[in-house]
Amino acid sequence: MGQLTGGDPSLLRRINSAVVLRALRAAGSPTLTDLTRVTGLSRPTVEGVVEGLIGGGLVVEADAEEGARRQGRPARRFRFRAEAGHLLGIEIGSHRIAVLLSGLDGRVIGAGTKDVAETASADERLERVRAAVADLLRRAGIPRDSLRAVGVGSPGIVEADGTVRLGTALPGWTGLPLGDRLRRSFRCPVRVENDANAAAVAEHWKGAARDTDDMVFVMAGLSPGAGSLIGGRLHRGFGGAAGEIGALHLLGREATPERLLSTTGEPLHPLDEPAVAEVFAMARRGDARAVAAVERFLQRLVHDVAALVLAMDPELVVVGGWAAGLDGVLEPLRDELRRYCLRPPKVELSLLGEAAVATGALRLALDHVEEELFAVEKTVTARRR
């Protein structure tokens, strides 16, 4: 990108600063000559930008290489200060809170989890979030005021301001102003996203979907959900409800998870992960009724995913969530997609596993920082205002 001329000088300075900072973050410890070559800007412009970034605390002069010292005065080198601020990625789940900590480059430097009761109230669950964060920051030796942004992955339909419009998986979650509650706790920008959307972003960033911009992530569970990227951008739908494939059973009123997974003719109760895990364990031991229940459950999942694939035509479907660990989930899915879809997508298991949602939440926080530092182009997770 060459140096721009004319127009608003402050805008040009910001563009030049973003170009140089992006090059610095990618290059390790480049010299001014390196930066001039990579950015296409003039040396005086690069030098002025670098000095400004040093004054702002985002760049520091790097130590000269030992070999260069022996040969005479080395060229000055610079590096991006990833330690100038820190980011959090938080997963709020039914049974646990998971937290990831990184510098401004998105590299994870700490992680932690806290168990939480499935029946915990919204206040109790948020208190566990605060406890998990406090414990992680203490162990990492990072002051709370170093946090620059927080990303959160949560079950439910999430509005742009972080309010959970509908969240049936967690007690007291529907209508919860989750974003506002957490902003009061962290006193820095907080971005809240649906958990399946966050996992889709994570797989695109660091997982099975790194090489494709058109993908669907299926959060396979009792009520499956999905997140998707179209052309490399997160697709939420008009009201944030895109991918809620768990509601498709309403088209067939008897096909509820309670009935699909029943081994007695009566709806499965309680409908929770331990009860479902026992059904799958019985199927592995050869119990005929359990085998039939598992087959019904997998067929339902396959049909849900096929409906989404037919509508979106993704290149790749990534399967995650607790059901991704079930024996035999991939082949039935591949077979049915070949049967129903004009162009069957590739189907892979998540590479990130349990870390997918928190990793995607961390990417949300990183995107916020990048929008501030490199505010020239939109990020993958930018919301429509």
Side-chain angles (χ1 to χ4, degrees):
M1 180 175 180
Q3 185 173 5
L4 301 179
T5 59
D8 181 357
S10 64
L11 175 61
L12 298 184
R13 283 195 295 271
R14 185 162 181 80
I15 292 172
N16 289 338
S17 177
V19 169
V20 171
L21 189 59
R22 190 182 290 276
L24 265 165
R25 193 178 70 163
S29 55
T31 64
L32 289 175
T33 300
D34 296 332
L35 291 172
T36 299
R37 183 182 67 254
V38 170
T39 64
L41 301 173
S42 70
R43 187 180 181 93
T45 297
V46 171
E47 192 164 13
V49 168
V50 169
E51 292 302 327
L53 292 171
I54 290 174
L58 289 172
V59 172
V60 68
E61 190 165 350
D63 292 336
E65 296 177 4
E66 196 64 36
R69 285 199 191 101
R70 291 194 294 267
Q71 297 172 13
R73 183 177 180 180
R76 296 172 70 196
R77 292 184 174 274
F78 306 90
R79 69 170 179 86
F80 175 69
R81 292 189 67 238
E83 70 275 17
H86 294 87
L87 312 172
L88 286 176
I90 303 173
E91 175 191 4
I92 301 178
S94 297
H95 303 286
R96 69 166 196 161
I97 308 298
V99 187
L100 297 177
L101 174 69
S102 82
L104 295 181
D105 56 0
R107 296 181 182 178
V108 174
I109 59 175
T113 60
K114 291 282 186 186
D115 292 335
V116 62
E118 187 176 6
T119 57
S121 68
D123 287 343
E124 291 169 333
R125 200 172 300 274
L126 291 177
E127 185 54 42
R128 295 300 281 172
V129 170
R130 287 187 280 268
V133 169
D135 180 61
L136 177 57
L137 293 178
R138 178 186 55 78
R139 287 188 286 108
I142 300 299
R144 198 177 187 85
D145 61 8
S146 178
L147 294 176
R148 297 292 178 262
V150 175
V152 180
S154 164
I157 299 172
V158 179
E159 297 181 349
D161 65 355
T163 299
V164 182
R165 180 154 58 92
L166 179 64
T168 58
L170 304 179
W173 222 242
T174 296
L176 180 70
L178 182 57
D180 288 344
R181 293 282 298 271
L182 292 175
R183 288 181 196 105
R184 290 199 294 269
S185 295
F186 293 111
R187 301 185 183 279
C188 70
V190 176
R191 294 180 63 169
V192 183
E193 189 56 80
N194 166 266
D195 52 2
N197 286 349
V201 169
E203 293 291 340
H204 186 256
W205 184 29
K206 291 189 174 183
R210 282 174 291 184
D211 297 326
T212 179
D213 285 340
D214 291 274
M215 59 83 65
V216 167
F217 178 92
V218 177
M219 184 77 75
L222 297 179
S223 180
S228 57
L229 270 66
I230 301 175
R233 294 184 62 78
L234 186 62
H235 177 68
R236 297 180 177 86
F238 180 75
E244 291 294 328
I245 57 177
L248 285 174
H249 74 271
L250 297 174
L251 300 177
R253 295 181 180 179
E254 299 303 312
T256 62
E258 294 93 332
R259 291 189 176 278
L260 291 172
L261 288 166
S262 171
T263 59
T264 64
E266 296 296 323
L268 183 65
H269 182 78
L271 181 67
D272 57 21
E273 291 181 16
V276 175
E278 176 58 26
V279 173
F280 277 86
M282 290 167 59
R284 284 192 293 271
R285 293 194 295 267
D287 182 280
R289 290 187 175 185
V291 169
V294 169
E295 288 178 352
R296 289 193 299 268
F297 178 82
L298 291 178
Q299 191 71 10
R300 149 81 188 280
L301 176 63
V302 165
H303 286 174
D304 288 349
V305 176
L308 193 58
V309 168
L310 282 168
M312 297 188 60
D313 185 31
E315 179 183 1
L316 173 68
V317 172
V318 179
V319 182
W322 67 266
L326 302 175
D327 294 339
V329 70
L330 281 190
E331 283 311 311
L333 186 54
R334 288 173 177 145
D335 289 343
E336 290 297 290
L337 293 181
R338 282 193 291 266
R339 176 184 174 191
Y340 289 113
C341 299
L342 299 176
R343 192 206 58 77
K346 294 180 289 185
V347 182
E348 304 291 345
L349 287 179
S350 166
L351 292 182
L352 299 175
E354 288 189 342
V357 176
T359 300
L362 182 65
R363 179 70 236 190
L364 297 175
L366 182 60
D367 272 355
H368 176 84
V369 168
E370 290 186 346
E371 286 171 9
E372 291 188 333
L373 298 181
F374 314 129
V376 179
E377 58 189 43
K378 290 287 188 180
T379 59
V380 169
T381 59
R383 282 188 180 272
R384 181 181 62 191
R385 298 295 180 184

